[in-house]
Amino acid sequence: MNDFTLNPEQQKAVQSQDRRCLIIAGAGTGKTRVITERINWLIRSGQAKPEEILALTFTEKAANEMQERVEAGLAQNYLTLSISTFHSFGQRLLEQYGLHLGLPVGFRVLTETDSWLLVKQNLERFSLDHFRPLGNPTKYIHEMIRLFSKCKDELISSADYLQLAETSHLDKDQAEDYLPDQLIELAKAFSVYNQLLLENQALDFGDLISYTHQLLDQCPTIRQRLTSQYRYILVDEFQDVNYAQYELVKKMIGPDSFLMAVGDDDQSIYAFRGASVGNILRFKKDFPEANEIVLKTNYRSAQPILDLAYQTIVHNNPDRLESKLQIDKKLVNPSAASAQIHYYHLAKATEEGLALSKIIQEQKEINPELKWRDFAVLTRNNSQGELILSYLTDAGIPAEFLAASGLWREPLALDLTNYLRAIDSYHESTAIYRLLCLPFWNISSLDISHLLHWSKRRSLSLYESLNDGAPGLSDSARKVLPKIVSLINTGAQMARRQKPRMVLLAFLQASGYLQYLRQQAESSSLGKRELQILRQYLERAREFETTAIDPSVKNFLNYLTEMAAAGDEGTLEPMSSTTDLVNIMTVHTAKGLEFRQVLLPQMIEGRFPTRRRGELLSLPEELIREEPPTGDFHLQEERRLFYVAVTRARESLFFTSAIDYGGKMKHRPSRFLTEAGLIAENLELPAEAQLDFLTGNRIVAQAEEASKNNRLQYSFSRLSTYTRCPYQYKLKYEIGLPVSGQAAFSFGQSIHTTLQRFYALLKAKSMAIQGSLFVPTTTEVVLPALEDLLRIYEQSFVSDWYQNQKQKDAYFQKGKEILRAFYQQNKEQLQAPLALEAAFGLNINGHLIKGRIDRLDRLPDGSLEIIDYKTGKGKEKVEGEDKDQLLLYQLAASSLPEYNNLGRVSRLTYYYLEANNQVSFLGTEKEIEKLKDKIDQTITQIEKQDFRPSSNEQICQYCDFKDICQYRRL
C-alpha cells in the first residue's frame, strides 16, 4: 500500500516522529495496516534497519499476519524481522541468555494441560489439606494453575505470596476469600510448583515473561544490548496485554527508543487470559508526553451497524478512554451504504434454529451473489456452536463450526485413536467397529450388522468374529476383512517397539487411508481440511513422544485419557480451508475477522451477557497491582464482547432469542438489545418438513480454488523438492501429506541441534554477551567441557524412526564418537560464532526466499565464513543441491548491508562430521547469477501450478510418497 492510500490520521500514525505515541484504533479502522505500513515506511525511509524494529502482539495468528504483510510490502532484502508474540519473544531471549539465570539449556514450555499432569503426578509433594479433597483429589488443580498463572501475570513471586500469607492475621469473619492457613497452603503450593517446573527442565507460559523480567533486571549488559538494538518498539492489540507484558515493554525502552502502542479499549475481551484493559488507561499516566492519534474512519461496517455498536458501548462509561481522555471515538464510515438490522424473538429454541436457517436461505435468494462463507453465526460459547451447527446442517445449509478446541472429537482423530485402542487390546470391540466403518473399505452396513449379530450370538469379541467369519457376508466384505485383521496384528507387533506416530503412519499407508486422503484433498477443500486435522493429531503425538519417559502406544492412550480428565479436548489450529461454508464460531474466535452478514443467536440474559462466575481460587487483593474499574467489570467485559461481535458485520446484522430453551425458566432478551434500541419483529417460520430436517445428510460444499497470495514465500528445501519432482512438491507442500521419517534424518537433526546448543552455550559462557549480530564485540572464549557437549547430545537425541533398539543404540554411540572427535580436533580453535541460526529474507525478482544460516564465524583476517554441518560421509568436492544451498547463503550475506558491515564472505564450508573433515569453496559471480536464474525459473513454474511428475527410478525409490503415488517408477 502506498502512502496516498492512507487517510490523514493513518498517515500521521505511520510517519509519526513522536517518541511516545498512543494510537487508539477503533474496529475496522485499519490498525494492522497502519502498523505494517509504519514498519515498511521506517525501513524504506532509512530511519530504521529491519533488525532495529521490535513488533509485539497478542496471538500467533496476529503475529504471522503482520509478518506476512510486512514481508509483502518490503522491496528489499532483510536479515531479520522481530515480529512475534510476547511469549515467543521472551522464549527466544531465555533460550539465548537463560543460562545467566540458571535456567536449564533446552527447556520445554508446558501448556496448561501439561502443567495439570505435572501437578497430578506429583500431588503428594504439595502437602495440600484444604485443596485436596479425599473424594476428588484433583478438583483444585486447574484452579491452582490458573492462580499461579495470575501471579506471574502480576509479577508476584512465590516469596511475595508466602510473605503476605504469613503476615496475614485475618480471622474467619474478616477473611473475604481464605483463612490464613488456606492462604499459606496456596503460597507454599506456588513455590513447590515452580520448583517442579525447574526439576523437569520446563517453564510455563507465565515464566516466559516473568523470567525475562529477571533477565533484564539482573543482567544490565544484556538489557543495554537489547534496548540499543530495538530502537523502534510497536505493540499491537495493546488493550490485551497484561501487567507483566506492559512492564516488559517499559523495560525494553532505551534512551533512543520510539514506542508506539496501538489498541482499542472497547475491544479488550481477553480478561480470562490475564489481559487488563487498565494497561491502555495507564499508558497516558506513565507517558504523559505521548501523542494521541485516534483512528475512527471505519472501512468495514455500514454506518447503522456502527451506530448500534456505539449506542451500546457507551454504557461502559466512565471507564472508557473516550470518557477518560475526553476524545471522540464514534466510528464513521464515509460510504453511504445502508444496512439490514433485524431482531426476532421466538417461542422455543427449535424455532430459533428454524429462524436462523430461514434467514440465511432467504438472504441467499434475495442476493444470489452471496456465498455461504459470507455468513457468520457468532455464539457466546462453544456449546451453542455445536447446537447451531446441527440446526443448519439438518436444514441443508453447508456449515462448519470453527471451534478452538475439539481435536480429539474430530472423526479422523477418532479413527486414529481407535486404531491404537484396537492394537493395544484386541477385545476393544467398539474400536474394531470404528475401523470397520472406515469409508474406503466400502463395507456395507448390512455386512457390519451381520458381524455384530454373529459376535453377540457366539459370545465372541468383534476381533474374533473377523477371524472366524460370520455367515451371510458379501464377497467384497470377505475379501477386505483379512486385511483389517492383518493391520491389527501388524500394528500390535509394531506397538511393542515403536512410537505412536510410526505405528500410525504405517497403518495409514498400508491400509490405503493415506491414499484415500490424498484423493479427497486433490478433489476438495474439505479433504485438505482432513489433512490439516491429521497433521495436528500427529504433531500432538510428536509432542507426547518428546516429553514422555516411555513414549509407547499404551502410554499415549493413557495420556489421551489423562487429557480428557484434565478437560483438554485438543486445541484446534485455525483451518486454512477455502470451502464455501457458513462460519459458526465464538465471538472470541471471530476477533479480527469480518463477514458480510452476521447472525447473533441466543441473545438472552444469562447467556449474553453470561452470568458472573466467581473463581474458585482468586488472588488476594493486596497482591493485585491493577486499579479496578468503577463499574461492573464482568458486565463491561460482556458488553465489549457484544461490541466486537456487532462490528464483525459489514452489511447485515440479525439477532435472535427464544423464551424457552428447556427447563422451567422463561428467558428475557439480553439487556444489550434494549441498550441498542432494538424491538422484536415477527418472522413467519416454515414447517420443519419443508426444511428437510433430520435427514442425517450434511451437504458437502463444492470446493473452490484457494486464492493465491500475491507474494508467496519459499525456502531452499521447498525449491529443491520441486526441482527433484514437481508432483512430490504438490503432495508435500500444496496438499500437505504427512510422511514417515528416516533414521538418518533423526540422527542428523540430533547432531545439528547438539552443535547449535553447544555453540550457544559457548557464547553464553564467554565474557562478552553479544545481544546483537551488528554490535562488534571482543570475546574471551570460555570453552565448555567435553562432558557439556555429550550431555547436550543426550538431551537433544531424537529417538524417532529407527527400525529397532539395536539400530538406535548404534546411531547413538556413533554420535558420541563423532562429537568426541569433533571436540578434540577443534577445541584449540573454537570461537564464539558471530551468529547462529541467523534468519534472512531475499528478494529475487519479486520472489521472497527465506532461510537460516546455521553458523557465521569471523576468520583471522576479519572476513566471514559461513558453515553448515553434514552427518553423511565426507566429500572431496561440493556440488549439486549442497552447493546451491551455500551459494544461497553467500548471496544473502553479500546482499545484506548488515553482513557487509561485519566483513566480506571469503569462505563457504561444509563440515562433514562422520569423516571429521571440511570442504570449503567460494562461489563466483557467474555461479550466483546462475543460481538466481534457477530460483526464478523454478518459482515461475510453481506459480503456474505445473506439477507434472518427474518419474524415474532414481527419484522414485527415495520418495516419501512412493507407496501412494500413481506415477511412481520403481
Side-chain angles (χ1 to χ4, degrees), residues 856-878:
L856 184 71
D857 281 9
R858 188 184 297 284
L859 294 171
D861 65 357
S863 63
L864 306 179
E865 179 181 23
I866 293 173
I867 299 172
D868 206 341
Y869 307 107
K870 293 289 183 182
T871 51
K873 295 181 179 179
K875 297 180 180 179
E876 296 182 0
K877 183 179 180 182
V878 180

Short mmCIF file of all heavy atoms in Angstrom, two decimals, residues 856-878:
data_model
loop_
_atom_site.label_atom_id
_atom_site.label_comp_id
_atom_site.label_asym_id
_atom_site.label_seq_id
_atom_site.Cartn_x
_atom_site.Cartn_y
_atom_site.Cartn_z
N LEU A 856 27.85 -18.51 11.51
CA LEU A 856 28.67 -17.50 10.85
C LEU A 856 29.85 -17.18 11.76
O LEU A 856 29.65 -16.78 12.91
CB LEU A 856 27.85 -16.23 10.58
CG LEU A 856 28.55 -15.12 9.81
CD1 LEU A 856 28.74 -15.52 8.36
CD2 LEU A 856 27.74 -13.83 9.89
N ASP A 857 31.06 -17.39 11.27
CA ASP A 857 32.28 -17.15 12.05
C ASP A 857 33.10 -16.02 11.43
O ASP A 857 32.99 -15.74 10.23
CB ASP A 857 33.16 -18.40 12.09
CG ASP A 857 32.66 -19.42 13.10
OD1 ASP A 857 31.56 -19.22 13.65
OD2 ASP A 857 33.36 -20.42 13.33
N ARG A 858 33.94 -15.40 12.28
CA ARG A 858 34.90 -14.43 11.76
C ARG A 858 36.26 -15.11 11.65
O ARG A 858 36.74 -15.75 12.59
CB ARG A 858 35.02 -13.22 12.69
CG ARG A 858 35.87 -12.09 12.08
CD ARG A 858 36.06 -10.94 13.06
NE ARG A 858 34.82 -10.31 13.40
CZ ARG A 858 34.15 -9.45 12.62
NH1 ARG A 858 34.62 -9.17 11.41
NH2 ARG A 858 33.04 -8.89 13.02
N LEU A 859 36.88 -14.98 10.47
CA LEU A 859 38.20 -15.56 10.23
C LEU A 859 39.29 -14.61 10.74
O LEU A 859 39.03 -13.42 10.98
CB LEU A 859 38.38 -15.83 8.74
CG LEU A 859 37.45 -16.91 8.16
CD1 LEU A 859 37.55 -16.95 6.64
CD2 LEU A 859 37.76 -18.27 8.76
N PRO A 860 40.52 -15.10 10.93
CA PRO A 860 41.60 -14.25 11.46
C PRO A 860 41.82 -12.97 10.67
O PRO A 860 42.22 -11.94 11.24
CB PRO A 860 42.83 -15.17 11.40
CG PRO A 860 42.26 -16.56 11.52
CD PRO A 860 40.95 -16.50 10.78
N ASP A 861 41.59 -13.01 9.36
CA ASP A 861 41.81 -11.80 8.56
C ASP A 861 40.62 -10.84 8.60
O ASP A 861 40.62 -9.82 7.89
CB ASP A 861 42.14 -12.17 7.10
CG ASP A 861 40.97 -12.86 6.40
OD1 ASP A 861 39.92 -13.09 7.06
OD2 ASP A 861 41.09 -13.16 5.20
N GLY A 862 39.61 -11.15 9.41
CA GLY A 862 38.45 -10.26 9.55
C GLY A 862 37.31 -10.58 8.61
O GLY A 862 36.22 -10.00 8.75
N SER A 863 37.53 -11.47 7.66
CA SER A 863 36.45 -11.84 6.75
C SER A 863 35.54 -12.88 7.42
O SER A 863 35.80 -13.33 8.54
CB SER A 863 37.02 -12.39 5.44
OG SER A 863 37.76 -13.58 5.69
N LEU A 864 34.49 -13.25 6.70
CA LEU A 864 33.46 -14.11 7.28
C LEU A 864 33.47 -15.50 6.64
O LEU A 864 33.74 -15.65 5.45
CB LEU A 864 32.08 -13.48 7.08
CG LEU A 864 31.89 -12.06 7.59
CD1 LEU A 864 30.46 -11.58 7.30
CD2 LEU A 864 32.21 -11.93 9.06
N GLU A 865 33.13 -16.49 7.46
CA GLU A 865 32.99 -17.86 7.00
C GLU A 865 31.59 -18.36 7.34
O GLU A 865 31.14 -18.25 8.48
CB GLU A 865 34.02 -18.77 7.65
CG GLU A 865 33.91 -20.22 7.20
CD GLU A 865 34.92 -21.13 7.87
OE1 GLU A 865 35.41 -20.78 8.97
OE2 GLU A 865 35.22 -22.21 7.31
N ILE A 866 30.90 -18.90 6.34
CA ILE A 866 29.58 -19.50 6.53
C ILE A 866 29.77 -21.01 6.64
O ILE A 866 30.41 -21.62 5.77
CB ILE A 866 28.64 -19.14 5.37
CG1 ILE A 866 28.33 -17.64 5.40
CG2 ILE A 866 27.35 -19.95 5.45
CD1 ILE A 866 27.54 -17.15 4.20
N ILE A 867 29.21 -21.60 7.71
CA ILE A 867 29.45 -23.01 7.99
C ILE A 867 28.13 -23.75 8.10
O ILE A 867 27.17 -23.26 8.71
CB ILE A 867 30.25 -23.18 9.30
CG1 ILE A 867 31.62 -22.49 9.18
CG2 ILE A 867 30.42 -24.65 9.67
CD1 ILE A 867 32.39 -22.44 10.47
N ASP A 868 28.10 -24.95 7.52
CA ASP A 868 26.96 -25.85 7.67
C ASP A 868 27.52 -27.25 7.96
O ASP A 868 28.66 -27.55 7.63
CB ASP A 868 26.11 -25.88 6.40
CG ASP A 868 24.66 -26.26 6.70
OD1 ASP A 868 24.42 -26.84 7.77
OD2 ASP A 868 23.78 -25.99 5.86
N TYR A 869 26.67 -28.07 8.60
CA TYR A 869 27.13 -29.40 9.01
C TYR A 869 26.44 -30.48 8.18
O TYR A 869 25.28 -30.36 7.82
CB TYR A 869 26.81 -29.66 10.48
CG TYR A 869 27.31 -28.60 11.41
CD1 TYR A 869 26.42 -27.71 12.00
CD2 TYR A 869 28.66 -28.48 11.71
CE1 TYR A 869 26.86 -26.72 12.87
CE2 TYR A 869 29.12 -27.49 12.57
CZ TYR A 869 28.21 -26.61 13.15
OH TYR A 869 28.67 -25.64 13.99
N LYS A 870 27.19 -31.55 7.92
CA LYS A 870 26.64 -32.73 7.26
C LYS A 870 27.06 -33.96 8.06
O LYS A 870 28.22 -34.07 8.47
CB LYS A 870 27.18 -32.86 5.82
CG LYS A 870 26.72 -31.76 4.88
CD LYS A 870 25.25 -31.90 4.55
CE LYS A 870 24.81 -30.85 3.54
NZ LYS A 870 23.36 -30.93 3.24
N THR A 871 26.09 -34.85 8.30
CA THR A 871 26.41 -36.05 9.07
C THR A 871 26.76 -37.24 8.18
O THR A 871 27.14 -38.29 8.68
CB THR A 871 25.22 -36.43 9.97
OG1 THR A 871 24.03 -36.48 9.18
CG2 THR A 871 25.05 -35.43 11.09
N GLY A 872 26.62 -37.08 6.88
CA GLY A 872 26.97 -38.18 5.98
C GLY A 872 28.47 -38.30 5.79
O GLY A 872 29.28 -37.60 6.42
N LYS A 873 28.85 -39.18 4.89
CA LYS A 873 30.26 -39.39 4.61
C LYS A 873 30.85 -38.17 3.92
O LYS A 873 30.17 -37.42 3.23
CB LYS A 873 30.44 -40.63 3.73
CG LYS A 873 30.02 -41.92 4.43
CD LYS A 873 30.23 -43.13 3.55
CE LYS A 873 29.82 -44.40 4.27
NZ LYS A 873 29.99 -45.61 3.42
N GLY A 874 32.13 -37.98 4.11
CA GLY A 874 32.79 -36.81 3.57
C GLY A 874 32.87 -36.82 2.05
O GLY A 874 32.81 -37.87 1.41
N LYS A 875 33.00 -35.62 1.48
CA LYS A 875 33.15 -35.48 0.05
C LYS A 875 34.39 -34.65 -0.23
O LYS A 875 34.82 -33.84 0.59
CB LYS A 875 31.93 -34.79 -0.57
CG LYS A 875 30.63 -35.57 -0.42
CD LYS A 875 29.46 -34.81 -1.06
CE LYS A 875 28.16 -35.59 -0.92
NZ LYS A 875 27.02 -34.86 -1.52
N GLU A 876 34.95 -34.85 -1.40
CA GLU A 876 36.10 -34.06 -1.80
C GLU A 876 35.69 -32.78 -2.50
O GLU A 876 36.44 -31.80 -2.53
CB GLU A 876 37.01 -34.88 -2.73
CG GLU A 876 37.62 -36.10 -2.05
CD GLU A 876 38.53 -36.87 -2.99
OE1 GLU A 876 38.68 -36.43 -4.15
OE2 GLU A 876 39.10 -37.88 -2.56
N LYS A 877 34.47 -32.78 -3.06
CA LYS A 877 34.00 -31.62 -3.81
C LYS A 877 32.52 -31.41 -3.54
O LYS A 877 31.75 -32.36 -3.48
CB LYS A 877 34.23 -31.83 -5.31
CG LYS A 877 33.85 -30.64 -6.18
CD LYS A 877 34.14 -30.94 -7.65
CE LYS A 877 33.77 -29.76 -8.53
NZ LYS A 877 34.00 -30.06 -9.97
N VAL A 878 32.14 -30.15 -3.37
CA VAL A 878 30.74 -29.83 -3.12
C VAL A 878 30.07 -29.48 -4.44
O VAL A 878 30.57 -28.64 -5.20
CB VAL A 878 30.61 -28.62 -2.16
CG1 VAL A 878 29.14 -28.30 -1.91
CG2 VAL A 878 31.31 -28.92 -0.84
#
